[in-house]
Amino acid sequence: GLKSSQIKALERIYRRRLGKDELIGRELARYMASLSRDIGRQIGVLIDRAGRVVSVILGDEREIVIPILADYPLGRRALRGIRCIHTHLKDEPLSKDDLTDLALLRLDAMVAIGVNEDATPSTIYTAHLRPLAPPETNGDTEGELYEVLAPEPMSTLEKNAIDFKEFITALEGELGRITTTSTDDKRERAILVSVALKSSSEQARSLKELEALAVTSDIVVLTSLSQRPKKLNPKYLMGTGKIKELVIEALQRRATLIVFNQELSPTQLRELGNITELKVIDRTQLILDIFAKRALSKDGRVQVELAQLKYLLPKLSGKGTTMSRLMGGIGGRGPGETKLEIDRRRVTERISRLEKELKHISKGRTERRRRRAESGVPIISIVGYTNAGKSTLLNALTQSTTLAEDKLFATLDTATRRLRFPRERDAVITDTVGFIKNLPKDLMKAFSATLEEMQDADLLIHLVDVSDPDFEDHLETVDKILKEIGLSDIECLLVFNKADRLEGELAENLATRHHALSVSATERATLKALLKILGDKLWPNEDEEEWSS
């Protein structure tokens, strides 16, 4: 709806240039005010530190929309290196959206030119970011990210003008000094985010588990945010208002990572990364990272890499394949494969090789299981939610030294030990990878060969951490997974572990209610009853025996 003369007038703004020490020039302000009043819409410009106009923006009568600043990435800089100057037709101060854009985009400054009815500039409104001390210094982290300067009449602009180059150099130096974290601490600093339609209590429990996963992965958890929208945003998962709150929180707390509790689509990962300009991962990626760090055996490493590549493959993105068809003939010759297609082909080939290697490893495992079955030695498998104490129980029963830590997924590789009973009776007992709610499907598929170990078990010990407030939810999760992998028909003994952490007879009462046995894997005396029950189930026709070994 613009006249050609107005379009040409807008284009002429690109010819203007400010001095490196000028925040805003008088002539530029007058030209923008006059043109903005003539068009009846806000006009904005983005100016770099060399004084060049890099973008001219035409908005409506209320606002402008700043374009994507792909040519001015933040990287390790505290500020982006460009400032925004725009008109306000009603001579109003900087709006909340103006200040939010200043903080989100890390602009050098946000300036509004108030426009009089006679199309002359009236008042200059200016704001810039302000340094906030990091939380660990107990400094000021509660204030606003920005500082709004007192409005200044256009008539006194040049008289009170500051040296912008000197000012912005000092400000960026201060911001950089405060933003830089300790060089001794190389860990990621993360904000945890949950966006779900579930109840607030369930969401809180899920966030607590996500925090435990983050700590296991050696991530510093700064804070967490949650939202329960009426429906999920297909592009960002969360609402745009909550995204602004998230980015400002990340800036204030000097975060380097955002971890979402929900699995993100490739589009959501890309868009959230673009708008926050931080590393964004989801719960699945976090779990895969933990598995990658803790897998020690050859088959464990192969299984984890396979799961990682299957997770990565659909998330590979590029500029499309429009011009990449491998065709011959006139009009069909193209440049060949794009970088994206090459990456996808390589990932697919690697997945194929890993699957073949996994089948080869599985054959060896099957042969070992066959020999074990021929020996007639009964097999016991310990299953349960992650961090229920499975490795600790295995060590206590067999006097072994399998790694046991108070962390999620402390051990991933299957551990097999010999368990001795009275009267020279022996059994094989195995400790398997722990389960977790919403375990990634690719991870379940990759570990299917390992989980096959449990199919030959004569008895399952379902170990539950009874001291966990959510133990009933964990119990249901494991039962559901056992059913999904076809192990629900094997006899299962329910054992409540960590009873010593509960007061009085609470553990016994809970065990009675759920028809379980109450033990503490760290107290050998409590394991006598467990050994007795195991012996009775494995050799039901034996005479009464003292199970005290």
Side-chain angles (χ1 to χ4, degrees), residues 207-277:
L207 265 175
K208 181 182 176 184
E209 185 171 85
L210 183 67
E211 181 176 357
L213 287 168
V215 171
T216 299
S217 192
D218 203 25
I219 293 172
V220 178
V221 178
L222 302 175
T223 187
S224 60
L225 294 176
S226 60
Q227 185 183 34
R228 295 171 57 224
K230 292 182 179 179
K231 63 178 182 178
L232 300 179
N233 186 327
K235 186 175 182 180
Y236 297 114
L237 190 68
M238 61 199 311
T240 53
K242 200 69 174 180
I243 289 178
K244 291 181 179 179
E245 180 184 335
L246 169 63
V247 176
I248 290 176
E249 190 79 21
L251 291 172
Q252 287 179 323
R253 295 181 179 270
R254 320 305 178 205
T256 61
L257 175 69
I258 298 175
V259 184
F260 276 79
N261 198 29
Q262 290 71 33
E263 185 167 351
L264 300 175
S265 68
T267 299
Q268 289 167 345
L269 271 174
R270 183 179 66 252
E271 295 297 333
L272 286 166
N274 288 340
I275 198 169
T276 62
E277 298 192 69

Side-chain angles (χ1 to χ4, degrees), residues 19-32:
K20 293 182 179 180
D21 58 346
E22 284 185 298
L23 172 63
I24 175 175
R26 179 184 292 272
E27 290 304 317
L28 177 61
R30 286 176 175 171
Y31 188 84
M32 290 178 62

Side-chain angles (χ1 to χ4, degrees), residues 215-478:
V215 171
T216 299
S217 192
D218 203 25
I219 293 172
V220 178
V221 178
L222 302 175
T223 187
S224 60
L225 294 176
S226 60
Q227 185 183 34
R228 295 171 57 224
K230 292 182 179 179
K231 63 178 182 178
L232 300 179
N233 186 327
K235 186 175 182 180
Y236 297 114
L237 190 68
M238 61 199 311
T240 53
K242 200 69 174 180
I243 289 178
K244 291 181 179 179
E245 180 184 335
L246 169 63
V247 176
I248 290 176
E249 190 79 21
L251 291 172
Q252 287 179 323
R253 295 181 179 270
R254 320 305 178 205
T256 61
L257 175 69
I258 298 175
V259 184
F260 276 79
N261 198 29
Q262 290 71 33
E263 185 167 351
L264 300 175
S265 68
T267 299
Q268 289 167 345
L269 271 174
R270 183 179 66 252
E271 295 297 333
L272 286 166
N274 288 340
I275 198 169
T276 62
E277 298 192 69
L278 293 172
K279 188 189 301 181
V280 177
I281 65 172
D282 57 19
R283 185 175 182 271
T284 299
Q285 199 168 349
L286 180 60
I287 292 175
L288 289 172
D289 181 74
I290 294 171
F291 273 56
K293 287 180 179 178
R294 295 185 172 272
L296 300 177
S297 65
K298 180 180 179 181
D299 55 342
R301 291 195 296 269
V302 169
Q303 290 169 130
V304 171
E305 185 182 354
L306 181 60
Q308 286 178 317
L309 290 175
K310 286 185 174 180
Y311 171 82
L312 172 67
L313 184 58
K315 292 177 171 57
L316 288 176
S317 60
K319 294 184 179 180
T321 58
T322 307
M323 298 294 292
S324 63
R325 298 288 178 253
L326 298 176
M327 300 188 300
I330 296 173
R333 296 187 180 92
E337 288 182 296
T338 62
K339 178 67 166 58
L340 172 61
E341 288 176 319
I342 293 172
D343 289 342
R344 283 179 173 163
R345 177 167 52 80
R346 286 175 176 170
V347 170
T348 304
E349 289 173 352
R350 180 62 178 164
I351 288 174
S352 179
R353 286 197 298 270
L354 289 174
E355 287 178 338
K356 290 179 181 179
E357 188 174 353
L358 205 55
K359 286 181 181 179
H360 180 72
I361 294 173
S362 182
K363 286 181 181 179
R365 189 184 290 111
T366 302
E367 180 63 24
R368 290 194 298 272
R369 285 162 50 200
R370 186 187 63 79
R371 291 198 300 267
R372 195 184 300 154
E374 289 177 352
S375 69
V377 178
I379 300 172
I380 304 169
S381 285
I382 307 175
V383 300
Y385 210 80
T386 180
N387 205 31
K390 297 184 295 299
S391 298
T392 304
L393 179 63
L394 179 73
N395 289 338
L397 291 174
T398 62
Q399 287 85 56
S400 56
T401 56
T402 302
L403 176 66
E405 292 182 287
D406 187 16
K407 289 183 177 181
L408 305 188
F409 301 115
T411 52
L412 299 180
D413 301 309
T414 301
T416 302
R417 300 289 184 271
R418 184 172 291 273
L419 176 59
R420 296 190 177 278
F421 289 89
R423 298 183 63 178
E424 301 302 319
R425 293 287 192 183
D426 287 338
V428 172
I429 185 166
T430 62
D431 170 26
T432 56
V433 62
F435 298 142
I436 196 170
K437 199 168 186 177
N438 301 322
L439 192 66
K441 293 181 180 179
D442 289 334
L443 206 54
M444 283 288 289
K445 291 178 182 177
F447 275 78
S448 59
T450 300
L451 298 176
E452 285 175 4
E453 292 274 349
M454 295 186 287
Q455 293 178 354
D456 294 331
D458 299 287
L459 179 65
L460 299 179
I461 297 177
H462 181 176
L463 198 66
V464 179
D465 178 4
V466 72
S467 67
D468 193 307
D470 301 320
F471 79 90
E472 291 181 331
D473 186 48
H474 295 173
L475 196 156
E476 292 177 3
T477 298
V478 174

Side-chain angles (χ1 to χ4, degrees), residues 38-99:
D38 177 49
I39 297 176
R41 294 157 70 175
Q42 289 190 12
I43 295 173
V45 294
L46 300 179
I47 301 176
D48 65 15
R49 291 186 186 171
R52 295 187 298 262
V53 176
V54 298
S55 185
V56 178
I57 309 163
L58 182 63
D60 56 26
E61 68 276 5
R62 296 185 307 273
E63 63 180 1
I64 61 170
V65 177
I66 298 177
I68 296 174
L69 305 175
D71 293 335
Y72 295 87
L74 277 174
R76 295 185 174 273
R77 298 188 303 170
L79 295 173
R80 199 175 291 273
I82 57 174
R83 57 192 181 274
C84 177
I85 301 173
H86 65 295
T87 57
H88 278 184
L89 294 174
K90 296 182 180 179
D91 196 14
E92 67 270 29
L94 291 168
S95 66
K96 186 68 176 177
D97 286 341
D98 290 335
L99 297 173

